[in-house]
Amino acid sequence: MANYYNIDDILAEEEFVPVVFHKAANGVIIDPSSETNSVEQGAKVELPLWLAQDLYLRQAISISVPACFNQRTRLEIQADAACVDLKSRSPYFYEFGCKIAPLVGDKTIEILLLSAFKIRYKEILTKAYTAAYTTASKFLTLLTKEESNLYEAAQVSMSAFKKWRMGGPRLQRASVLGRKRRSFE
Amino acid sequence: MHGRKAYELVKEFADGEKGHLKIFNNELFERVIEECNEHHNALQSLIRKMQEEGLEVQTARNADHYGALIHHLSLIRNKRCLMAYVYNRAEIIRELAWKVGLLHELPGEIQEKFSDSEEQYFKDHSKSLKSYMSQLSLDVNVDMVPPKDPYIKVRVLEDLGSGIILSDKSANFARHSMHFLKRTDAEQYVARGLMEELTG
């Protein structure tokens, strides 16, 4: 398990996956179509990954490939990976993909993730260094969490480099306080 | 859906700006704990039902078992979310203690976001840091990069008056006045935004 306290890891596991129950379960309300508070054998339900994962390991359910890795997404990524809106598919597209791939036994997901990441990584770094904020903001809405972290990291390192080259004061106001004051004045 | 409230709690934390705190969401926090209790009760009643039917709870794999399992997993998930919420906030609080809390009170707008126990945690953490440093007689919180010059030029941004006594002198720190100070003395004031460093 990744870091127990990791916020991103927790959020990535909240993504929903379509599952089929092989065993019935009593006393739980997770099947919206069921009228009693139980799940019948063969019921098709969407469950968050954290629940599906353990039920799958105990052979209570089988998992199918979630919608964000469907054929349409694959075709779009093949066409031009850099322009695909991955954030709306899942803000944790890569993490989710890595977690789901061994569960559904689909080797092509890994290849898809890798090729998408390679192309987009290059694009993100280029944009982080060159694009003005106004043009970049549209591009930023397409990025997953991981990718926008990368984008920010690239920008921070760029500005750190500029600062180093130009020189300037070393001591600065603690950033926690910085933001608050400007709204005052 | 199971674990939804806990997800909202973690999501709220994640949506906040990095390194900044939001108000401790007591209401949602309590709601998740309540949900944990509900899961716990449901889990126990399912197990009791299995025992009444004379089944071996450890090995039986009937519908009740899987129901109990789902409640068990939801409980663990909720616990993880709660723990992560508190843990990650504590991390920010520790950082605050290092950055601004060692010598001064925190500004009110940050302090009001703490829960009661977080406030205590902040105080205790600052206190133990201070006592550690006084035992070492070394300020471990200063800038890690050795300065080229032990003195720096600063401008005072807010009226501080003459009540402040620094290690080697005391002066009237009126607004916009400029001073030549020991870097280690100036650092804390710059960090709090009361002075700025001048270069060139």
Side-chain angles (χ1 to χ4, degrees), chain B residues 97-115:
Chain B
W98 278 89
K99 273 189 194 150
V100 276
L102 279 174
L103 294 141
H104 307 279
E105 284 272 296
L106 271 183
E109 69 256 24
I110 295 183
Q111 217 160 30
E112 72 193 10
K113 299 195 166 133
F114 290 173
S115 71

Side-chain angles (χ1 to χ4, degrees), chain A:
Chain A
M1 194 201 285
N3 183 356
Y4 183 77
Y5 298 109
N6 189 307
I7 293 282
D8 285 328
D9 195 61
I10 291 176
L11 295 180
E13 286 187 4
E14 188 71 21
E15 296 290 319
F16 280 75
V17 290
V19 305
V20 179
F21 271 83
H22 294 320
K23 305 277 165 64
N26 276 345
V28 285
I29 311 165
I30 35 181
D31 186 357
S33 63
S34 164
E35 281 165 12
T36 57
N37 56 353
S38 62
V39 189
E40 278 161 34
Q41 193 174 351
K44 286 185 182 152
V45 197
E46 294 237 313
L47 289 185
L49 181 63
W50 55 266
L51 187 53
Q53 216 166 16
D54 278 272
L55 289 176
Y56 174 79
L57 292 177
R58 288 171 171 83
Q59 282 139 24
I61 56 171
S62 65
I63 302 178
S64 35
V65 180
C68 61
F69 303 106
N70 62 11
Q71 199 56 35
R72 226 184 104 209
T73 313
R74 285 168 198 235
L75 287 175
E76 274 184 48
I77 286 174
Q78 273 166 22
D80 187 359
C83 296
V84 185
D85 183 0
L86 285 189
K87 192 180 185 178
S88 71
R89 298 212 159 66
S90 161
Y92 296 94
F93 190 78
Y94 300 110
E95 294 90 334
F96 183 44
C98 290
K99 282 173 191 287
I100 198 82
L103 301 181
V104 294
D106 188 343
K107 288 265 185 292
T108 56
I109 290 183
E110 288 158 29
I111 301 163
L112 175 83
L113 291 178
L114 186 61
S115 69
F117 186 73
K118 270 199 227 157
I119 298 169
R120 288 167 70 90
Y121 179 65
K122 201 177 119 198
E123 196 70 17
I124 289 162
L125 288 195
T126 323
K127 285 243 167 56
Y129 291 139
T130 56
Y133 185 73
T134 42
T135 50
S137 60
K138 202 176 142 201
F139 172 71
L140 282 178
T141 58
L142 309 179
L143 299 184
T144 69
K145 190 77 201 289
E146 169 93 27
E147 289 168 341
S148 39
N149 284 348
L150 268 176
Y151 182 86
E152 271 163 38
Q155 281 203 319
V156 167
S157 73
M158 193 63 175
S159 62
F161 171 70
K162 274 187 188 152
K163 198 177 155 197
W164 171 79
R165 207 175 50 178
M166 307 293 287
R170 227 200 110 68
L171 301 181
Q172 262 168 357
R173 172 211 292 274
S175 61
V176 246
L177 302 171
R179 178 64 56 111
K180 302 260 150 57
R181 284 197 46 85
R182 236 167 285 147
S183 59
F184 262 142
E185 284 161 359

Side-chain angles (χ1 to χ4, degrees), chain A residues 171-179, chain B residues 17-21 90-107 110 122 125-126 129-130 133 139-143 184 186-193:
Chain A
L171 301 181
Q172 262 168 357
R173 172 211 292 274
S175 61
V176 246
L177 302 171
R179 178 64 56 111
Chain B
E17 213 176 325
K18 250 187 209 145
H20 291 248
L21 281 182
E91 214 164 46
I92 295 180
I93 292 166
R94 279 201 302 277
E95 208 161 287
L96 278 171
W98 278 89
K99 273 189 194 150
V100 276
L102 279 174
L103 294 141
H104 307 279
E105 284 272 296
L106 271 183
I110 295 183
F122 175 78
H125 193 74
S126 307
L129 265 179
K130 264 183 242 174
M133 285 191 216
D139 185 357
V140 294
N141 202 23
V142 290
D143 195 351
T184 42
E187 218 161 272
Q188 35 159 320
Y189 294 101
V190 178
R192 293 174 67 218

